[in-house]
Amino acid sequence: MRCSVAMSTYNGERFLREQLESVLRQTHPVDELVISDDGSSDGTMEIIRELQGAHPEISWRVLTSPENQGFRKSFRRSIMNCSGDVIFLCDQDDVWTEGKVERTLDILDQNPQILSLISDFKTIDASGRLLNPEKTAENLWVSQRVMDAPSMPSGISLSEMLGRNQGQGCTMAIRSALAREYIDLEQTWTHDWILNLLAAMHGGLYYCREQLMLYRLHGANVIGMAQGEHARRRVSPLQGLHEWALVFRYSFLEGDGEACRRNLLSVTMDKYEFVFDHVSCEGGELAQREAWKALQKKRLRLIREKKPAAYLLFWLGHQRFFEEIADFATHEQKLIRLMADLCAMLR
């Protein structure tokens, strides 16, 4: 399989060289590097040109913009210009393990149903030091069910993906057919979210527990996890009570009811409906889509009609649904979702 790397850069001179060198020293060489520079004014382009000259064995496509248009448009342009069978999405400030490409291609070759493969990662700080050296998995976005699945790679259901994105773009490898579907939709959503949503609608979204890259948290990331977001997935009863108290205080007692009402959904229903209207689902994915829509509409109706008692019964009866729509796959985020909804009703 021919493989491309799609990267967006913007004033990335601080970490860019280390990232590009990690891509260039893969045990399975990449065939193509497509870099969309979003109007950098630092030494980003000089680093790219230097490495381009030093590695003529790689096909380079460097796309420039006279002004900053934002990472969504920049990544879209990069993906549009990739010609490989498999496209690796790549940020400018991370580091790839040497076997990332080889291992990913092996998994894709053995599993033709996979359209988007999310790998796990290890987090590092600005200096490259491991933040959690003992952890064997650090993706807080993927659901607990997927994390605990005995098989690897593990399939991610559409209902889980509808609740929240399950992986950062920098961890993903996608097939070219999925990239074409994404391009044809002409949506300005964040690229990783919509690519994973499309893959899940076809039953082709999967997660690999292997930590195939170093994800850098340095306080200036454009999107993704922020430094310090390493909450526990499982907590003891005593810890749970403590977190209940903290979440109740900050998300309800001190919460902004108007802000909670504005943010009932991180992605509005009309955007989902646009994708549903343009991309078909069949079988199990169709059933998941309709079940999720019904539950989401009931949740929003109970909030808007200010029925806290009915909402709490609904919450108790659909724990899996509320785990899926938490911002991250953590105990704390599930509680925050509950308290934010109650705040929208009662404050």
Side-chain angles (χ1 to χ4, degrees):
M1 288 184 286
R2 192 167 185 275
C3 61
S4 301
V5 176
M7 174 185 278
S8 172
T9 58
Y10 176 66
N11 289 347
E13 64 178 4
R14 184 180 178 191
F15 304 115
L16 178 61
R17 182 183 297 277
E18 186 178 8
Q19 171 64 303
L20 284 175
E21 287 177 345
S22 76
V23 173
L24 293 166
R25 64 170 176 263
Q26 290 292 300
T27 55
H28 185 295
V30 300
D31 298 288
E32 177 183 57
L33 258 168
V34 180
I35 302 175
S36 172
D37 184 72
D38 199 21
S40 293
S41 57
D42 65 352
T44 292
M45 289 304 301
E46 287 74 11
I47 293 170
I48 293 171
R49 297 300 184 193
E50 177 190 337
L51 290 172
Q52 182 179 10
H55 293 273
E57 74 280 6
I58 303 290
S59 175
W60 295 71
R61 300 196 70 182
V62 182
L63 314 167
T64 59
S65 174
E67 59 185 17
N68 183 264
Q69 297 183 338
F71 75 92
R72 291 177 179 86
K73 289 185 178 180
S74 184
F75 255 112
R76 179 179 172 82
R77 181 171 62 162
S78 179
I79 294 169
M80 287 177 66
N81 283 275
C82 288
S83 62
D85 304 302
V86 175
I87 302 170
F88 290 81
L89 306 186
C90 182
D91 286 353
Q92 65 183 5
D93 48 8
D94 301 318
V95 181
W96 287 8
T97 60
E98 291 186 359
K100 173 180 166 68
V101 170
E102 182 175 9
R103 180 60 180 137
T104 300
L105 292 180
D106 284 345
I107 293 172
L108 292 175
D109 185 55
Q110 295 167 22
N111 299 274
Q113 78 279 11
I114 297 178
L115 297 174
S116 175
L117 181 67
I118 299 164
S119 77
D120 215 298
F121 49 82
K122 296 197 77 66
T123 51
I124 57 174
D125 64 13
S127 300
R129 292 185 294 262
L130 292 174
L131 293 172
N132 298 285
E134 76 289 350
K135 286 193 174 181
T136 57
E138 294 199 60
N139 185 342
L140 296 178
W141 296 14
V142 72
S143 74
Q144 189 65 52
R145 183 198 67 81
V146 173
M147 188 68 69
D148 292 341
S151 62
M152 202 289 295
S154 310
I156 299 173
S157 70
L158 176 59
S159 60
E160 288 164 332
M161 184 59 215
L162 286 169
R164 62 172 181 271
N165 195 4
Q166 298 283 308
Q168 298 92 323
C170 61
T171 69
M172 292 165 54
I174 62 174
R175 295 194 192 268
S176 57
L178 183 67
R180 287 194 296 272
E181 190 170 48
Y182 155 73
I183 292 164
D184 290 343
L185 270 184
E186 298 182 353
Q187 277 290 298
T188 57
W189 279 14
T190 303
H191 58 286
D192 53 12
W193 188 309
I194 195 165
L195 283 164
N196 284 335
L197 177 59
L198 293 173
M201 291 180 75
H202 299 305
L205 180 59
Y206 281 74
Y207 163 73
C208 167
R209 282 189 295 273
E210 297 179 40
Q211 295 173 300
L212 299 180
M213 59 168 290
L214 305 178
Y215 182 70
R216 195 187 302 271
L217 303 177
H218 51 80
N221 305 70
V222 174
I223 195 167
M225 290 167 58
Q227 197 155 347
E229 283 176 343
H230 302 294
R232 299 176 298 278
R233 286 176 174 267
R234 293 189 175 95
V235 297
S236 68
L238 186 60
Q239 290 169 334
L241 286 173
H242 178 64
E243 288 170 4
W244 266 101
L246 290 177
V247 171
F248 179 69
R249 175 185 173 186
Y250 292 112
S251 297
F252 184 79
L253 293 181
E254 299 179 10
D256 183 337
E258 184 58 36
C260 289
R261 284 185 283 277
R262 286 196 306 268
N263 296 292
L264 291 177
L265 281 173
S266 58
V267 180
T268 56
M269 288 291 288
D270 62 325
K271 286 188 176 181
Y272 276 126
E273 293 290 359
F274 175 87
V275 177
F276 295 159
D277 289 343
H278 288 79
V279 180
S280 61
C281 279
E282 297 180 3
E285 279 70 42
L286 179 59
Q288 290 174 51
R289 187 190 76 180
E290 295 307 304
W292 179 87
K293 285 171 63 176
L295 290 172
Q296 192 65 273
K297 288 177 180 177
K298 183 172 183 179
R299 168 186 161 245
L300 295 175
R301 178 176 58 79
L302 292 173
I303 294 170
R304 288 168 179 151
E305 293 177 358
K306 298 185 178 181
K307 295 181 176 179
Y311 173 92
L312 286 172
L313 288 174
F314 175 63
W315 188 81
L316 290 170
H318 296 89
Q319 290 292 289
R320 171 87 178 269
F321 170 72
F322 279 91
E323 288 171 0
E324 290 169 354
I325 66 171
D327 290 337
F328 291 94
T330 62
H331 179 71
E332 296 94 327
Q333 289 294 336
K334 180 182 168 185
L335 298 181
I336 289 170
R337 176 76 279 158
L338 167 64
M339 290 302 168
D341 284 358
L342 291 175
C343 186
M345 278 185 274
L346 302 173
R347 292 184 62 80

